[in-house]
Amino acid sequence: MSENIRKLIRKFVASKPRNTAEIVSWLEAQKEIQTSKTDISGLLESDETIIRIGTMRRSGIAGREYPLSEWATDEWVAHHERGLSMKEE
């Protein structure tokens, strides 16, 4: 089940980074999977192809059990890092 959730999340964050709350909300809306209080942060951290690219302020997000981090795929990060290094030259 965890691997199926990871695959879905990889597709969801492939086009642009998403924060933990967005990912959880999106997962809850997916009818083909049933998430039962899964530790999303732990699940994402254990996936070598998904990278935490930052932590966001929790302003206005009261009562959340997980850190509000921003996540992206390793391919997205590599593509955008390449663009930054070309601008610096």
Side-chain angles (χ1 to χ4, degrees):
M1 181 63 142
S2 293
E3 187 55 34
N4 291 338
I5 294 172
R6 282 189 193 100
K7 286 179 184 177
L8 285 172
I9 293 172
R10 276 185 224 126
K11 289 179 184 178
F12 183 59
V13 301
S15 62
K16 70 177 190 175
R18 308 287 182 147
N19 68 48
T20 311
E22 288 175 304
I23 293 169
V24 169
S25 177
W26 178 81
L27 279 173
E28 288 173 350
Q30 302 308 301
K31 295 183 182 356
E32 65 267 11
I33 62 165
Q34 297 193 1
T35 56
S36 57
K37 289 292 182 187
T38 304
D39 176 16
I40 297 300
S41 293
L43 189 70
L44 294 169
E45 288 172 348
S46 67
D47 189 322
E48 295 178 0
T49 64
I50 298 176
I51 300 170
R52 183 190 313 250
I53 59 173
T55 303
M56 302 175 65
R57 292 184 182 187
R58 294 175 62 132
S59 176
I61 311 288
R64 298 287 184 180
E65 302 141 14
Y66 43 83
L68 192 55
S69 300
E70 196 156 28
W71 305 88
T73 61
D74 55 352
E75 291 176 354
W76 186 93
V77 170
H79 175 76
H80 287 83
E81 284 178 344
R82 213 174 23 248
L84 288 175
S85 64
M86 291 173 74
K87 288 179 184 177
E88 293 172 357
E89 291 177 356

